[in-house]
Amino acid sequence: MLNYTLRRLLMVLPTLLILVIFAFYLMRLAPGGPFTSERPLPPAVMANVLERYGMDEPLHVQLWTYVRNIVCCFDFGPSFSQKDRTVNDVIAQGFPVTLTYGFWSAVFVLVLGIPLGIIAALRHNGFWDYTMTGLAIFSQIFPNFVLAPLLVLLFTLSWGLLPGGGWNGGQWQYVVMPAIALGTSYMASVARLTRGSMLEVLNSPYIRTARAKGLPERTIILRHALKPALLPTLTYMGPVFVYMITGSVFVDVFFSTGGIGQDFINGAYSRDYSVLLGLAILYAVLTFALTLMVDLLYAWIDPKVRAGLA
Amino acid sequence: MHSRSFIAAALATTFLTMPALAADVPAGVTLAEEQTFTYRTLDEFSSLDPQVVEDVDGSNIVRDLFEGLYNQDADGNLVPGVALSHEASADNLIYTFTLRDNAVWSDGAPVTAGDFVYAWQRAVDPELASPYAWYMELMSIENGAAIVAGEMEPSELGVSAPDDRTLVVNLSKPLPYFTKMVTHATTFPAPRWVIEEHGAEWTRPENMVSNGAFVLEAHVPKERSVRVRNENYWDNENTVLETVTTLVIGDDAQGLTRWRAGEVDMTDIPAGQYPALAEEFPDEAFALPRLCNYYFNFNLASGPEAFQDVRVRQALALAIDREVIVDRVLQGGQFPAFTFTPAATADFEVPEVEMASMTQAERDAKARELLAEAGYGEGGEPLSFNYLYNTNEAHQQVAIVATQMWKQKLGIDVTLENQEWKVFLETRGAQNYDMARGAWCGDYNEASTFLDLLTTESGYNDAKFSNARVDELMTEAKSSSDPQPLYTEVEQIVAAEMPVIPIYHYSTNVMLSDAIQGWPMNNVEQNWYSKDLYRVAD
């Protein structure tokens, strides 16, 4: 298991390097640059600005400097659009915000989605099953850009219960709507996924055996059926959590949370190469970390997988 | 005039009239207990460093945090800031500013002429590499351009401080509107000791020292920045607001929602919603004239052959019904434009141009006539071209309406093409277009900020229009004491040659809570100072 983890970790570095090289060159293929503006800068001013940001060097030299600064000093360079700040500042400020409501959103997804799925499976083809399935489909057809304005309309404008946006240091009132807007459609998927796999497990021979032994239904569900039934959900949640954080662009902009989604959008529009590259690396590292975590959890839950890894 | 008295007159010190210096609260008004003002901006600002900041939102904050030589009043006129008065030499090449002796930094240090010298040298220093270094060149400060180009040392800039209260500026040409340019953030003083201690991090709330009516209390990037009253400001007793908060809200509709919820006092109105909101909130929806124009560029360098014929350009300009675009499409209090420079520009008289005095029916008839003469349109050679604009709903609507008018009236086929902003800038700047959208907002309140764009050398002359007489007139205007006749002639040449088609002059549409008073509605640059605002009780 340790061996396996180490092997996986070793693969991270070359993959990251390839990602950096690709992203670095791809971004520069887009017309325009960070200093393209409505009034073109006079050549002398432009020359000074380019020199200040090291952009007067050939591309491969810039790339080398970039990688070297990260390796030696964990320095991701200055932001081109927020001139008083570095990429490290930008991420250090924005990432905790996105992570915070991303975390609460994931909690919302699991705490609501899993029980809903289990209940539906247990009451297969009954009232609860249909209600749950209806609810799941309903929330899946509500993408966050429809749900978010709806939430604001109700909770802010009609009832005056929650602030319409902002972050304010992450007080709970400011976290609720972003977390719900971000999580709802995933919650529906988790509920459906859990229902499906629970049904499958409940129909498998070893559960029949457990029933035949006369075990109480409660023990059957909690001790024997739940763990394997959660496997597909777990596989699903790893990448989805990354996707929730990276895919939070709309929620960040709409609720003005100050999270990194806004930087992605603004970085793309303003050609803020260093911020975009920094975020790409962050997202890649996150994806690695979470998929690895899911794989290890998998091994912990499923003895068959554990045996395969050893 | 007798030469001696002429010099005496020319040397006369200009004392600015002393108006209400700060918030001008009328008698009988009950102020709110909580003196706060919260407003929304679209984006995070570019910087809070006065010499580096380049965006409007950032400049609005910097104007609260720092005070330059002069400020603007509610009508955009100059009023004393750190400087009380100035003297210009007879040839208008040397300006001597007298600074007030009671201006201090927020750390208690006096604001001296040396702080301005440091700041101005800093602005042109290649080491700082400010994207706004060109502003100093535009001000014609001696050696500015050479320093930016790295040919001279920043210390050689034409600005000096013989003593703490006197700032002397040497210009390379007698710019008539020089003093108007010192209300811009680039020219604000900078605290050398703070910048040297903290480097690039000097604008953090915990490090920043400033000399304006407010100081920076907190800054959460992309979410909010908070400034509070500066107790050390020389006119602090006349400041009414205690706290000013800027919230970044990246979505126009959401800005409006939060204005409705009372979370912000001010926000921009989303495109097209002004008429409805003005009806719903007659006292809180505003359309304010703004120093910006909107026009179509002909590509005269590499565009369609037909564009070389002035009759074609005239015909296209005539056939656009600007009233329809302004009143039916945009509906935000914009002004139909027949000249390049907005009428709201200070000391600018809109020249008479023929097209403005015609009815639309007359214009249409003349358009058909001119186009036929040129051999295009119905009965002639078919004309078709591309119109390029940056992706935006309002630009798209204008494009659709204008091209429909050409189609119906002149039988011209225009293909619409939109591009993302930076791609658009590259394409247009490289003249890879037939006709393209153009717009400009004045850097200072004087007609040359617009008309300079039509000179051969201008970096923003995307039409690649070149007219020797225009170049000559604009050079002359830089040192003329009465440039209006020169501007009139330039506008008339532009109206005759039509290298660009003026469509309309902008207005700003905002929702402003009626609790906030003192807003400079008549300042066409929309340069506002929080020290002039106050909140009234409900």
Side-chain angles (χ1 to χ4, degrees), chain B residues 255-526:
Chain B
L256 183 63
T257 303
R258 293 179 67 184
W259 182 87
R260 284 177 185 272
E263 291 175 35
V264 294
D265 297 310
M266 185 176 190
T267 189
D268 289 334
I269 294 177
Q273 295 195 30
Y274 174 73
L277 287 165
E279 200 164 310
E280 192 180 350
F281 303 98
D283 301 327
E284 299 184 296
F286 295 93
L288 311 172
R290 220 176 125 202
L291 218 50
C292 304
N293 62 11
Y294 191 107
Y295 56 93
F296 295 164
N297 278 302
F298 288 103
N299 179 357
L300 298 176
S302 51
E305 190 57 37
F307 288 174
Q308 297 300 330
D309 190 327
V310 67
R311 290 170 298 189
V312 174
R313 303 202 294 269
Q314 288 283 3
L316 289 167
L318 284 161
I320 293 176
D321 189 342
R322 292 156 178 81
E323 301 281 341
V324 169
I325 290 182
V326 168
D327 295 339
R328 298 271 175 273
V329 179
L330 300 166
Q331 305 185 322
Q334 292 85 353
F335 308 88
F338 296 96
T339 56
F340 199 63
T341 313
T345 312
D347 307 321
F348 178 74
E349 236 175 86
V350 179
E352 289 200 6
V353 292
E354 195 195 350
M355 201 193 295
S357 58
M358 298 160 85
T359 65
Q360 189 56 44
E362 286 166 356
R363 287 184 204 124
D364 294 344
K366 182 147 187 224
R368 275 188 282 267
E369 193 181 307
L370 285 171
L371 200 68
E373 254 178 56
Y376 291 98
E378 285 150 22
E381 214 180 305
L383 180 59
S384 64
F385 56 88
N386 276 13
Y387 173 71
L388 177 71
Y389 60 97
N390 56 302
T391 313
N392 170 297
E393 206 178 319
H395 299 334
Q396 185 181 24
Q397 287 171 356
V398 171
I400 290 173
V401 171
T403 50
Q404 271 306 308
M405 290 171 182
W406 289 331
K407 173 92 185 151
Q408 283 168 9
K409 297 175 185 177
L410 306 174
I412 295 173
D413 282 316
V414 183
T415 311
L416 297 185
E417 189 184 350
N418 72 87
Q419 292 181 345
E420 183 262 355
W421 177 237
K422 294 240 174 185
V423 180
F424 167 76
L425 288 179
E426 284 273 315
T427 314
R428 193 181 61 182
Q431 276 71 47
N432 287 327
Y433 70 94
D434 295 342
M435 182 187 272
R437 186 190 86 87
W440 186 249
C441 290
D443 287 309
Y444 47 91
N445 193 356
E446 214 271 348
S448 64
T449 191
F450 293 99
L451 295 175
D452 273 344
L453 305 181
L454 298 169
T455 57
T456 309
E457 288 302 308
S458 164
Y460 194 59
N461 180 352
D462 288 320
K464 291 290 164 206
F465 175 60
S466 180
N467 181 300
R469 182 65 186 148
V470 169
D471 294 352
E472 194 183 305
L473 288 164
M474 289 315 294
T475 309
E476 203 180 317
K478 294 274 180 296
S479 51
S480 162
S481 56
D482 177 25
Q484 175 65 40
L486 309 172
Y487 295 154
T488 300
E489 195 182 335
V490 172
E491 286 283 9
Q492 281 163 348
I493 294 174
V494 171
E497 291 287 319
M498 205 59 76
V500 297
I501 307 177
I503 306 292
Y504 67 86
H505 296 140
Y506 273 75
S507 74
T508 301
N509 294 170
V510 294
M511 300 302 292
L512 175 64
S513 155
D514 53 8
I516 299 296
Q517 297 291 324
W519 193 267
M521 301 291 175
N522 298 322
N523 184 332
V524 289
E525 289 175 272
Q526 278 299 297

Side-chain angles (χ1 to χ4, degrees), chain A residues 40-174:
Chain A
L41 294 179
V45 178
M46 183 60 110
N48 290 337
V49 173
L50 290 181
E51 193 187 328
R52 156 103 165 63
Y53 291 100
M55 284 175 59
D56 53 338
E57 306 273 1
L59 272 187
H60 65 274
V61 178
Q62 291 181 39
L63 176 61
W64 167 242
T65 315
Y66 181 77
V67 174
R68 197 188 54 202
N69 284 345
I70 293 176
V71 173
C72 98
C73 326
F74 204 66
D75 173 7
F76 290 80
S79 161
F80 297 137
S81 59
Q82 300 172 46
K83 296 200 167 50
D84 301 351
R85 291 148 43 81
T86 63
V87 177
N88 294 38
D89 290 338
V90 170
I91 292 178
Q93 185 272 322
F95 184 51
V97 172
T98 310
L99 195 63
T100 303
Y101 77 80
F103 171 77
W104 288 113
S105 191
V107 170
F108 164 77
V109 167
L110 295 175
V111 165
L112 223 65
I114 293 177
L116 271 181
I118 293 174
I119 293 169
L122 296 181
R123 302 278 179 275
H124 186 43
N125 287 339
F127 170 77
W128 285 109
D129 189 14
Y130 292 133
T131 311
M132 195 290 300
T133 316
L135 203 75
I137 290 170
F138 190 68
S139 38
Q140 209 146 31
I141 57 165
F142 262 95
N144 54 17
F145 55 86
V146 176
L147 187 64
L150 205 66
L151 288 172
V152 170
L153 195 68
L154 295 176
F155 286 94
T156 305
L157 280 183
S158 300
W159 302 328
L161 291 176
L162 295 171
W167 189 244
N168 222 3
Q171 291 171 21
W172 69 267
Q173 302 95 316
Y174 293 83

Side-chain angles (χ1 to χ4, degrees), chain B residues 226-246:
Chain B
V226 183
R227 43 201 193 271
V228 296
R229 160 206 287 277
N230 176 5
E231 301 290 345
N232 280 326
Y233 180 59
W234 62 270
D235 197 26
N236 178 44
E237 59 180 276
N238 286 313
T239 305
V240 180
L241 289 180
E242 295 289 338
T243 312
V244 181
T245 306
T246 310

Side-chain angles (χ1 to χ4, degrees), chain A residues 30-42 44-45 48-50 52-53 80-86 89-90 93-94 149 152-153 156-157 162-169 174 250 253-260 262-263 266 268-271, chain B residues 43-49 52 54 124-134 137-138 145 147-149 200-201 203-204 219-224 248-251 254 257-258 260-261 263 420-423 425-426 428 437 439-440 443 449 453 459-460:
Chain A
F35 308 111
T36 310
S37 63
E38 183 128 46
R39 173 201 284 272
L41 294 179
V45 178
N48 290 337
V49 173
L50 290 181
R52 156 103 165 63
Y53 291 100
F80 297 137
S81 59
Q82 300 172 46
K83 296 200 167 50
D84 301 351
R85 291 148 43 81
T86 63
D89 290 338
V90 170
Q93 185 272 322
V152 170
L153 195 68
T156 305
L157 280 183
L162 295 171
W167 189 244
N168 222 3
Y174 293 83
F250 171 78
V253 173
F254 187 82
F255 288 106
S256 321
T257 55
I260 45 172
Q262 263 158 294
D263 290 309
N266 291 341
Y269 281 138
S270 63
R271 308 286 192 273
Chain B
D43 282 324
E44 171 72 5
F45 49 75
S46 58
S47 171
L48 286 185
D49 184 324
V52 176
E54 50 182 331
V124 289
D125 193 340
E127 202 176 303
L128 182 72
S130 167
Y132 245 66
W134 58 265
E137 292 182 40
L138 207 64
I147 297 166
V148 170
E201 296 189 0
T203 54
R204 306 282 164 100
H219 175 212
V220 184
K222 289 170 279 124
E223 198 227 339
R224 69 177 63 215
V248 180
I249 303 175
D251 182 274
Q254 180 67 352
T257 303
R258 293 179 67 184
R260 284 177 185 272
E263 291 175 35
E420 183 262 355
W421 177 237
K422 294 240 174 185
V423 180
L425 288 179
E426 284 273 315
R428 193 181 61 182
R437 186 190 86 87
W440 186 249
D443 287 309
T449 191
L453 305 181
Y460 194 59

